[in-house]
Amino acid sequence: MRLISLVPLLCGLAVVAQAGLNRRFAGQWGLLGAVLMNMVVATTATFAVYAVARAVPGLWPQAAAGQGRFFEGFTPWHLLPGLCGVLIVVGMPAAISRLGAVQSALLLMAAQLATSLVWDAMVEGRPATLARVLGSAVAFAGAAIAVWKG
């Protein structure tokens, strides 16, 4: 397994840990207070990473690409990733408080797989193979079983 394969695994861990902790913090500060703290920390960390990537040549070439052209060609579409992040940060703690972490994570995973099939096919040019479609169907089945109250 290549080292880059650990990144999605760590992201999956981070989604559940972030949502679970935000749900806990929401009891003290309210959900929006917890989200605000999240965004302050994320913004501060992003500025720090940006500053280090610019200050150390060759440290992270992909991150430094396009330096000096920030906002060039800006369209409203550029706001969507940030809005998706807000949806995740607000939505997952709310879902965990009502459904629990397992059901929320399984539904998140099923939605990610379905969206990934469409994204790969339409944006990346990678067709939805039978194996990918079956894998997604199994994930949906698992999510359905996990949330089934029957």
Side-chain angles (χ1 to χ4, degrees), residues 55-124:
V56 182
L59 177 68
W60 192 3
Q62 302 91 335
Q67 295 295 336
R69 294 183 290 173
F70 198 65
F71 287 119
E72 184 178 306
F74 175 81
T75 70
W77 287 101
H78 289 92
L79 300 175
L80 283 179
L83 293 173
C84 289
V86 171
L87 177 63
I88 293 165
V89 172
V90 172
M92 285 304 290
I96 286 175
S97 71
R98 289 171 180 82
L99 300 173
V102 172
Q103 289 90 342
S104 297
L106 283 169
L107 289 168
L108 173 80
M109 180 190 71
Q112 286 174 321
L113 286 171
T115 306
S116 296
L117 282 170
V118 173
W119 183 274
D120 274 354
M122 296 182 77
V123 178
E124 304 295 336

Side-chain angles (χ1 to χ4, degrees), residues 14-24 88-89 92-94 96:
V15 166
V16 174
Q18 178 193 45
L21 290 169
N22 278 343
R23 183 189 144 338
R24 294 290 203 137
I88 293 165
V89 172
M92 285 304 290
I96 286 175

Side-chain angles (χ1 to χ4, degrees), residues 6 9 17 20 26 29-30 38 40 44 46-48 52 63 74 79 83 90 116 128 140:
L6 293 177
L9 296 174
W29 306 327
N38 246 258
V40 168
T44 303
T46 301
F47 275 115
V52 170
F74 175 81
L79 300 175
L83 293 173
V90 172
S116 296
F140 275 119

